[in-house]
Amino acid sequence: MTRAQRLDRLPLRDELKGQEPYGAPQLTVKAMLNVNETTYDVPADVVDAITKEVRAAAETLNRYPDREFTALREKLADFLNRDLPTPDLSAENIWAANGSNEVMQHILQAFAGPGRSVLAFPPTYSMYPLYARGTYSEYIAGTRSADFTQTPEDVAAQIRQHQPHVVILCSPNNPTGTALGLEVVEAAYDAATEGETMVVVDEAYGEFRQPGTASALTLLHGRPRLIVTRTMSKAFALAGGRLGYLAAAPEVTDALRLVRLPYHLSAVTQAAARAALDHAETLMANVERIKVQRDRIVTELQRMGLRPYPSDANFVLFGGLDDAHAAWQHLLEEGVLIREVSIPGHLRVTAGTEEETTAFLTALRNWLEETHGRDPR
């Protein structure tokens, strides 16, 4: 009997039967550009600082950690305030958990759940329906325009039509890289207040925004049903540290305290995150390098005759491929791993170091030459 057959014999929840676990391929190649990690190594001084903080935390691991992770919330508020014209966020506005996945889970546990619904707009982050399923919430798949953008009128109309309890706006959106104008968020919020809807703006890639693209953090004041989520996995090169967080009205963080598990953030996680925040300037320097490579990818893909989409993230979605899987396989054979997405003729690539970006562009150009019989330059 196979493991799958043995699994089928367990009294599993009906909605989990036949499902596959979430996960991208984890392969070791020279250029791993498929899950939007920061591919630069963590700088040595940041490693030293994290090691020092974790060493100190280890001395008290016989005790439970600070349940309120107060020092960490203060540092997260200080970091977000740097991006605000009026820096008025405090620890009372901040919540954190083990990755933005757990942050989203807390939000849905508090505001969605049985008999309630969650609205998102595919193509978008593929975990959203899984969050809904895990919290016994109905998932509603909204729609986007053909170029994956969203207008204030259309988003507001869909919220009024479906009347969800939670609506998730991903900006910059994964996998398309498109960012939302604040007028979209404002329209969504206005429509939400006509019912019982919380508005979540997922800004996991917010630090990579193009100049002039504003953050929804600027809209928090006076909007108690607005939540803006962030992560330290991307810009802070802390994907292995698992620290996600949000900013919202203090009453929202009070609501999340009702559903969190006791001492959900370990002392080690808190220590590592605090140390990384103390070195934010060093880590943000790598963000600027990544943005240069992202824009380079867009330019070079256009020269190849492909269709890259404008990106405010650390990745680029591109189309124009006759056989996206064949292109993906060729790149993998050349030591470059990128992401297959559920959009025909499209692939997504993370902007890595200059060397990794060159490896990707060279391998893709070679594939186009082989399959189209021409030099795509």
Side-chain angles (χ1 to χ4, degrees), residues 42-227:
V42 181
D45 59 336
V46 181
V47 173
D48 291 342
I50 291 175
T51 301
K52 181 179 179 180
E53 288 291 327
V54 170
R55 173 70 172 77
E59 295 176 353
T60 59
L61 287 180
N62 58 308
R63 302 293 186 183
Y64 285 113
D66 175 12
R67 183 176 57 230
E68 291 299 309
F69 46 97
T70 306
L72 174 58
R73 287 189 294 123
E74 290 172 348
K75 287 182 181 292
L76 287 167
D78 288 343
F79 172 74
L80 292 182
N81 277 331
R82 302 179 190 186
D83 203 26
L84 295 176
T86 304
D88 56 0
L89 294 176
S90 71
E92 298 302 310
N93 300 104
I94 304 299
W95 187 252
N98 295 285
S100 54
N101 291 313
E102 190 177 45
V103 169
M104 286 289 187
Q105 182 184 55
H106 286 171
I107 293 170
L108 297 198
Q109 284 176 319
F111 299 108
R116 295 188 168 208
S117 60
V118 178
L119 171 65
F121 301 88
T124 191
Y125 186 35
S126 59
M127 278 297 297
Y128 295 154
L130 274 67
Y131 298 145
R133 186 179 72 193
T135 55
Y136 302 92
S137 310
E138 178 190 1
Y139 178 74
I140 301 171
T143 59
R144 293 173 177 264
S145 60
D147 62 355
F148 307 127
T149 57
Q150 296 178 276
T151 66
E153 297 77 15
D154 185 50
V155 169
Q158 292 188 58
I159 292 172
R160 291 188 175 101
Q161 174 190 353
H162 297 293
Q163 299 182 19
H165 293 85
V166 177
V167 57
I168 304 175
L169 303 170
C170 190
S171 180
N173 185 50
N174 180 10
T176 65
T178 47
L180 294 175
L182 293 187
E183 67 277 5
V184 177
V185 180
E186 291 173 313
Y189 192 87
D190 289 344
T193 57
E194 296 174 12
E196 298 184 346
T197 303
M198 297 293 293
V199 177
V200 181
V201 182
D202 182 351
E203 291 190 348
Y205 301 94
E207 290 85 359
F208 299 95
R209 301 188 311 276
Q210 297 279 2
T213 301
S215 166
L217 290 168
T218 60
L219 299 178
L220 282 175
H221 184 72
R223 292 181 173 87
R225 293 202 205 168
L226 178 62
I227 300 172

Side-chain angles (χ1 to χ4, degrees), residues 177 208-211 287-303 308-317 349-353 357 360-361:
F208 299 95
R209 301 188 311 276
Q210 297 279 2
V287 168
E288 294 306 312
R289 297 184 182 100
I290 291 166
K291 289 164 71 173
V292 169
Q293 296 308 313
R294 172 201 62 200
D295 295 342
R296 176 189 172 202
I297 290 171
V298 171
T299 299
E300 292 301 320
L301 292 181
Q302 289 172 335
R303 290 174 178 170
Y309 290 81
S311 176
D312 281 76
N314 69 339
F315 58 83
V316 176
L317 176 76
V349 58
T350 304
T353 64
T357 300
F360 159 70
L361 293 170

Side-chain angles (χ1 to χ4, degrees), residues 34 36-37 129 235 247 316 320 340 356:
N34 68 322
N36 303 336
E37 301 158 315
V316 176
E340 292 189 281
E356 290 168 330

Side-chain angles (χ1 to χ4, degrees), residues 297 300-308 318-324 326-328 330-331 334 345 347 360-377:
I297 290 171
E300 292 301 320
L301 292 181
Q302 289 172 335
R303 290 174 178 170
M304 294 181 200
L306 299 174
R307 296 194 302 273
F318 62 99
L321 298 165
D322 295 332
D323 189 338
W328 179 88
H330 171 86
L331 290 167
E334 293 294 315
L347 294 170
F360 159 70
L361 293 170
T362 300
L364 183 59
R365 186 177 291 111
N366 290 342
W367 182 78
L368 290 171
E369 288 182 18
E370 294 173 8
T371 56
H372 292 77
R374 59 179 176 79
D375 185 346
R377 283 177 285 188

